[in-house]
């Protein structure tokens, strides 16, 4: 893929310019190179965090039959398994208050 240079103009006050110039100098970069590298680093971090969050809260889309099965399962009585009872015993030691 060919590379291209795209110009972006950023307006900043004297303080921001001085801070960026100092940081760029400490990293042996031009102001533009420093701003680009830091911006890319932060952008990648935001994208990673957003992707992780979306995986944790991803929407589950059910068709009509799956929706009915899910609702029916919620309404059924069940007996907890031995594994679930053991898990409850483990978490009781953490003094978790069940407010349901």
């Amino acid at each position: 893929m060919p590379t291209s240079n795209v110009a972006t103009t950023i307006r900043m006050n004297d303080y921001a310019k001085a801070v960026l110039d100092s940081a760029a100098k400490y990293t042996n970069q031009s102001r533009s190179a420093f701003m680009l590298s830091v911006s890319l680093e932060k952008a990648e971090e935001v994208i990673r965090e957003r992707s992780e969050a979306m995986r944790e809260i991803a929407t589950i889309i059910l068709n009509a039959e799956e929706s009915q099965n899910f609702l029916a399962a919620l309404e059924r009585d069940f007996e907890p398994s031995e594994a679930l009872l053991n898990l409850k015993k483990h978490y009781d030691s953490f003094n978790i208050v069940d407010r349901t």
Side-chain angles (χ1 to χ4, degrees), residues 64-82:
E65 181 182 353
E66 293 167 332
S67 295
Q68 291 297 323
N69 291 341
F70 178 72
L71 293 174
L74 289 177
E75 293 179 3
R76 277 195 301 267
D77 288 331
F78 74 97
E79 290 296 321
S81 67
E82 191 65 32

Side-chain angles (χ1 to χ4, degrees), residues 25-40:
K25 179 180 173 186
Y26 295 145
T27 59
N28 294 316
Q29 298 179 75
S30 67
R31 182 187 324 132
S32 295
F34 176 79
M35 290 172 57
L36 180 59
S37 67
V38 172
S39 297
L40 283 173

Side-chain angles (χ1 to χ4, degrees), residues 30-89:
S30 67
R31 182 187 324 132
S32 295
F34 176 79
M35 290 172 57
L36 180 59
S37 67
V38 172
S39 297
L40 283 173
E41 184 178 310
K42 182 63 178 179
E44 290 169 351
E45 176 187 330
V46 168
I47 290 168
R48 266 192 314 278
E49 289 173 0
R50 174 72 175 172
S51 295
E52 289 170 12
M54 290 309 295
R55 277 193 296 277
E56 290 176 13
I57 61 168
T59 303
I60 299 172
I61 301 173
L62 305 175
N63 63 31
E65 181 182 353
E66 293 167 332
S67 295
Q68 291 297 323
N69 291 341
F70 178 72
L71 293 174
L74 289 177
E75 293 179 3
R76 277 195 301 267
D77 288 331
F78 74 97
E79 290 296 321
S81 67
E82 191 65 32
L84 186 57
L85 292 171
N86 289 336
L87 186 63
K88 182 182 182 317
K89 288 177 192 173

